[in-house]
Amino acid sequence: MGRVSKKASHSNMQASGSNLSDDKSPSKLRNRKSNNNNSSSSSSSSSNIKTRQEDAVSDPNSNIVPSEDSKKKWKNWRQRTTFTFLMIGGFMTVIALGPLSIMLMVLCLQVMIYREVISLSSVPKKQRDLPWSRAMNAYFLVCLEYYLYGHNLHRALKRHPWLEAHVQPIFAHHTFISFSLYVIGFVWFVGTLRKGYYRFQMGQFAWTHMALGLVVMQSQYMIENIFEGIFWFFLPIALVIVNDIFAYVFGFFFGRHRLIELSPKKTWEGYIGGGLTTMAFGFLLTALLSDWNFMVCPPNLKTTAFSNVKCDVNPVFVPRAYELPQVLTTLISTLFGRYVTSVTIRPVQFHSLVISAFASLIAPFGGFFASGVKRAFNIKDFGNSIPGHGGVTDRFDCQFIMAAFSHTYYTSFIKISTVTVGSVFSSFLAMNPERQVELYHSIQEYLQTTGSIAAAAADSTDAISAAGVAASAR
């Protein structure tokens, strides 16, 4: 056995020696040197790429967007796209069901977003020692919703005068009741102040009111827009959605340069591409919706997309012919061989360009503000209720300032002040019976003078009105 092992070891040594001699041949040495150079160069290049990416992430002043794992990136793309289409489908369904369903949707969104924002400042340990803190957050929300939606309901009932007559006593002191409820909450808060928690409780009180102002009050403009016509609710929201989608698409495929430090994945390419797409989309969408009375007419609570809606539409929705400058006419004739002296456009399409510009240039800063809040609290998303998107706040952060702007712009430049039957009847109900009869006789006399009603009909109504006054006197 010893001889065999010695021979085997001797043969192994010879084999290894022959291998070493082969490896030392000039061709083998050149190949090994070349492989070493290639491996070192590839490793150095990969390390350089990694270093540049790390520098882009660590350097807040870098304009280069850090790369993302390709598999994770496409998975997020598919998930985000799927739930985007689901949300759009649900949104369109709610719109078709009419203003009542839209108001309920806005109410649900207000509550969900308020809950996500309030949860950021919660400290479970301290809140265990202050059991009424969450209850007070909910109470202040209920008080504000009561005030806002009570006002909205009263406004909606003005389109149903006889129904308003029965509920008028409820709304007569609505503002005072709302204020009284708030005062009760304020006294409740002061009564719960505890030594050692003053700073925390004051911070919670301020945070609650900031959430009420930025979330609930601003989103209330959406409801105001509904009563002017569903078009004014739908268009601003649609523009923000389109801008968000195409900013993401352009940034996903072409984004290279960082737009703002607060949102490292926002790029100039996405910002510009989404803006241009939104402007074109708004101009075309306005032309498509302007002939649909369901969109442009002020609705009542029973209106749906399948209702036969009729109204005197705002003149901005009526097409008008605009004369082209001679220079432009000559240019079109030279380029296309057609002599065009005028174009027919709806005035609202020019207004849509202004609203689209705001949705593209300013509304995204609502999202940047939300990103700043997330950075301040060191969180990635406000929640996880929408897969691929985060929380509800993450998707509606731009809508609040957009709703406020669209309502302000509409009331400043587009709205026509008109007196409706509902508004006149609401004022009529606020009068005492003698004043009501006096107004009635004044209207009757005018209608007789103009020949709108016959004298016989006036005599019969006089008897009815006299009986009504006698009954009210008793």
Side-chain angles (χ1 to χ4, degrees), residues 153-168:
L153 184 60
H154 189 202
R155 183 178 177 181
L157 291 178
K158 287 183 178 180
R159 304 184 189 280
H160 308 275
W162 298 110
L163 181 59
E164 185 191 10
H166 291 86
V167 297
Q168 178 68 20

Side-chain angles (χ1 to χ4, degrees), residues 254-378:
F254 310 108
R256 295 294 181 272
H257 301 88
R258 181 183 296 172
L259 174 63
I260 189 170
E261 181 184 340
L262 284 171
S263 298
K265 294 184 180 180
K266 305 294 184 183
T267 64
W268 277 104
E269 291 82 0
Y271 185 71
I272 296 172
L276 294 176
T277 306
T278 303
M279 297 281 286
F281 176 83
F283 191 81
L284 296 175
L285 179 66
T286 301
L288 292 175
L289 297 180
S290 295
D291 288 326
W292 193 4
N293 283 352
F294 168 71
M295 282 288 180
V296 301
C297 290
N300 58 51
L301 295 179
K302 297 184 294 183
T303 302
T304 68
F306 311 101
S307 303
N308 184 21
V309 181
K310 294 181 181 180
C311 70
D312 296 327
V313 299
N314 192 309
V316 296
F317 293 104
V318 180
R320 291 172 55 184
Y322 293 89
E323 297 292 332
L324 295 178
Q326 184 61 39
V327 176
L328 191 57
T329 300
T330 305
L331 181 62
I332 294 175
S333 177
T334 304
L335 294 177
F336 303 101
R338 297 183 61 183
Y339 190 74
V340 180
T341 59
S342 64
V343 292
T344 301
I345 298 176
R346 303 170 194 271
V348 71
Q349 291 181 265
F350 296 116
H351 292 294
S352 73
L353 291 178
V354 178
I355 300 175
S356 299
F358 188 91
S360 305
L361 302 177
I362 307 300
F365 282 84
F368 301 152
F369 175 80
S371 297
V373 173
K374 290 187 285 188
R375 298 293 180 274
F377 287 91
N378 196 27

Side-chain angles (χ1 to χ4, degrees), residues 389-409:
H389 294 268
V392 180
T393 311
D394 294 287
R395 283 282 55 82
F396 290 89
D397 47 14
C398 301
Q399 297 289 358
F400 304 137
I401 190 172
M402 188 68 206
F405 169 78
S406 58
H407 180 73
T408 304
Y409 183 84

Side-chain angles (χ1 to χ4, degrees), residues 114 117-118 121 133 136-141 144 201-216:
Y114 178 79
V117 173
I118 287 296
S121 64
S133 59
M136 275 189 287
N137 290 334
Y139 178 81
F140 282 118
L141 176 63
L144 184 57
Q201 288 179 287
M202 290 298 177
Q204 290 288 96
F205 187 77
W207 184 260
T208 298
H209 282 69
M210 187 202 74
L212 291 172
L214 291 180
V215 176
V216 182

